[in-house]
Each structure stands twice: as C-alpha cells, then as structure tokens.
Amino acid sequence: MSYTHNDFKYIDSHCHFFPPQIFEAIWNYFEQRDNENKVKGWSINYKLPTEDLVKILESKNIKYFTTYNYAHKAGVAEYINDWTYEFNQKYKNSIPFACVWPEDNNLVEYIKKAFDEYDFYGIKIQPLVQNFYLNDNRLYETYDVIIDRGKWMTVHIGTAPYRNQYVGYKNFMNFFEKYPEMNIIVAHMGAFEYDKFLKLLDKHENLYLDTTMIYIPNNIFPERETKRPKPDVLLSYQDRILFGSDFPNIPYDYENSTKGLLEMELPRTFYENIFFNNAKRIFKIS
Ligand SMILES: [Zn+2]
C-alpha cells in the first residue's frame, strides 16, 4: 500500500527558527556564489517572514515543530533564546530549544532561565558551524543542568554534508562516554557514519536519530543513497527515529522530506511512529 504525504500528521523534529535578520544572514551565506557563479551551499526554497513559515508548516499537516537555532558568537545566545520564547508564546505548536555559546559568562544562567522560566525542551548544538567540541569543559555545567532537568540535546555531529575537526563519531564518543545518560537526538541519522550511531541505539535507550535530509530525492549529501540505512534497519529501530525536514533551509518543496520514506511502502504503524508518535512521547505532548 503506498501512502502520500497527506495521509499522515507530523511532528517535525528538525525545523529552524531564527530572528528574521539572522535568518536573512544565514540564507545569504547558504546562497553565496563561488568564482564560477555556483551556489556554495544551496538555494533556499522558503525565504519568508516568520508567520508565513509557520502557516506553510501547518498547511503540510505539521502539528508541532522544533525551533532549532544556534549562536555564532559571544553575547547573542541569550537574545536568540529570548526571541524563541516570544515565538513560542505566539505559536503554541512550537517545541522551543535553546542555543548556547561556550564563551558566554552567563551561559549557565541563561540556560537555567530557558528551562526553568521558559520551559524549553533542550538545547541544539551545531559543531559544524559553531566550531567547538561537544566535549568542551566550558559546557559541562550546562550538561549537568540538562541531565538534572531531564531535558534534551540535539546535535549535528555527523560528517555530512561536509566535515570539520569538531564533528564525527569519535568526537561524539569523547563527549558521550562522559554523559551516557543524557537524552540525545543525533541529527541527520549521524550521516555519514550511520552504522556506528545505529549501533549505539542498542545500548542507550535515551538516544534518538532524526531523518533530516536523508531520504530525499535531491543529492544534497553526496553518497547518501548508497549508504543510508535500508528499510529493514529502519523498521527495527522504528521507536528511535524521528522525522525531521530542516525547514525552511531546504532547496526543494517540503513534501520531498517525506517522499523517500513513503516510497519504501512500509507499514502504516511505522510511519505513524516516526512521523508523530515517537516525538509526541519524548516531548510529552498531550
Ligand atoms: Zn538543521
């Protein structure tokens, strides 16, 4: 039985929301051109004002969505988190996450505010762009707060679409061996080191992988199609996989985010789990 996008409701566990002027800067960065006039990253399909972005998600059957963002320098994380709080007040179907910057003197202070006053679900870390290690001792106190409050950490630690010195399985394990009890979501299913991250699921029940940009028709991640986990693997880990899209920073129509998954023609319960039920359970959405 083949399904279409509209046959399901969704929680998108990998959406980005930034203050508009920062979004603008990120989109410009993605679309920079090299000497041969080729786009360095990719062009963005959804460069729109915040309220329009939310409307688009709602029109695609997205019932809840995360607000992942990140700081790129000292002194801006708290401002972004305050903005995310306002955003969440306005859009109750958002799942707010905080951002951090290790050099900030008030890091632990604003993280406690994000959790205890704002009721955020966790933090998002992006070592590929933020250029620090997960196992950075300036973050240890923040990690202790995350564990103490039972919050989540989402991390882009895989080597796709490109790598730097801060990403990769080894860097993840340097951190994870110290904090094996933390609730973690590994973005992009750990691409390209899928197998290593999948294996960790057997031992760590608080570890999840998101499908962001893996099962899409466009070749954004080179090698993706040959290496990405096969249907039998997805089925066996169907309680530990979360659907994510990377909206709005995607160079294709939103429906392409579910297309490759739906084309596998797996059982309806599988789709219900990864599209909705797993995220509903871990984020305690009633
Ligand atoms: Zn992302």
Side-chain angles (χ1 to χ4, degrees):
M1 164 100 200
S2 58
Y3 297 106
T4 64
H5 181 88
N6 288 331
D7 290 329
F8 296 95
K9 60 180 178 177
Y10 301 86
I11 297 172
D12 190 333
S13 296
H14 194 129
C15 282
H16 292 283
F17 279 93
F18 283 85
Q21 73 280 16
I22 301 181
F23 242 161
E24 201 91 349
I26 292 168
W27 293 335
N28 287 336
Y29 179 82
F30 267 97
E31 295 185 338
Q32 268 176 13
R33 287 170 186 276
D34 63 16
N35 297 337
E36 282 149 20
N37 205 29
K38 258 177 53 193
V39 180
K40 279 185 181 169
W42 50 74
S43 57
I44 308 292
N45 254 36
Y46 297 101
K47 289 191 287 187
L48 297 165
T50 305
E51 60 265 34
D52 294 352
L53 294 174
V54 173
K55 272 188 210 140
I56 287 173
L57 285 174
E58 289 167 351
S59 76
K60 309 287 182 190
N61 259 357
I62 311 304
K63 304 300 178 190
Y64 301 91
F65 53 88
T66 61
T67 65
Y68 294 162
N69 48 43
Y70 49 85
H72 59 293
K73 59 181 181 187
V76 300
E78 185 176 20
Y79 159 76
I80 295 175
N81 293 339
D82 290 347
W83 180 88
T84 302
Y85 173 70
E86 295 300 324
F87 176 90
N88 178 240
Q89 291 301 101
K90 198 166 170 195
Y91 303 108
K92 296 290 185 188
N93 47 354
S94 62
I95 301 173
F97 270 66
C99 62
V100 299
W101 187 256
E103 282 165 30
D104 287 340
N105 294 325
N106 60 341
L107 166 60
V108 175
E109 203 178 298
Y110 64 67
I111 283 304
K112 284 183 175 166
K113 180 169 76 173
F115 292 162
D116 300 342
E117 276 179 51
Y118 293 170
D119 215 15
F120 282 14
Y121 287 74
I123 69 169
K124 165 82 194 286
I125 293 188
Q126 184 82 354
L128 191 61
V129 182
Q130 293 186 294
N131 294 329
F132 55 80
Y133 292 102
L134 276 189
N135 189 29
D136 183 321
N137 59 19
R138 296 171 299 179
L139 293 168
Y140 289 173
E141 218 182 321
T142 298
Y143 293 159
D144 292 336
V145 175
I146 292 173
I147 290 171
D148 178 66
R149 310 292 200 274
K151 299 293 182 179
W152 288 83
M153 182 164 90
T154 300
V155 60
H156 179 136
I157 196 66
T159 52
Y162 61 94
R163 62 166 75 224
N164 67 6
Q165 69 192 90
Y166 305 103
V167 298
Y169 180 79
K170 262 197 190 135
N171 282 317
F172 180 73
M173 291 312 290
N174 287 341
F175 147 82
F176 198 45
E177 276 160 8
K178 281 202 182 76
Y179 294 94
E181 70 273 48
M182 196 187 286
N183 300 321
I184 310 246
I185 299 164
V186 172
H188 310 288
M189 299 192 82
F192 295 114
E193 295 165 292
Y194 301 106
D195 294 345
K196 290 177 179 166
F197 284 100
L198 282 162
K199 246 183 216 127
L200 286 179
L201 296 177
D202 296 330
K203 273 190 275 172
H204 299 277
E205 57 179 32
N206 295 331
L207 189 69
Y208 284 74
L209 308 180
D210 82 37
T211 63
T212 307
M213 285 197 160
I214 304 304
Y215 299 94
I216 53 164
N218 312 50
N219 193 27
I220 296 249
F221 289 180
E223 299 178 297
R224 178 172 40 76
E225 279 182 45
T226 48
K227 288 191 177 175
R228 61 194 191 187
K230 302 284 180 282
D232 58 316
V233 177
L234 293 180
L235 277 175
S236 62
Y237 292 111
Q238 62 178 296
D239 294 330
R240 311 290 289 286
I241 295 169
L242 307 170
F243 163 70
S245 70
D246 238 337
F247 181 85
N249 299 341
I250 52 178
Y252 42 73
D253 287 342
Y254 188 92
E255 280 84 352
N256 280 342
S257 307
T258 55
K259 198 165 186 259
L261 289 161
L262 293 169
E263 280 171 355
M264 292 178 193
E265 302 196 0
L266 295 171
R268 186 170 183 96
T269 50
F270 166 81
Y271 292 118
E272 288 170 345
N273 286 341
I274 70 161
F275 289 155
F276 196 84
N277 294 341
N278 294 342
K280 176 177 188 275
R281 183 180 68 248
I282 71 170
F283 295 136
K284 300 188 173 74
I285 290 166
S286 47

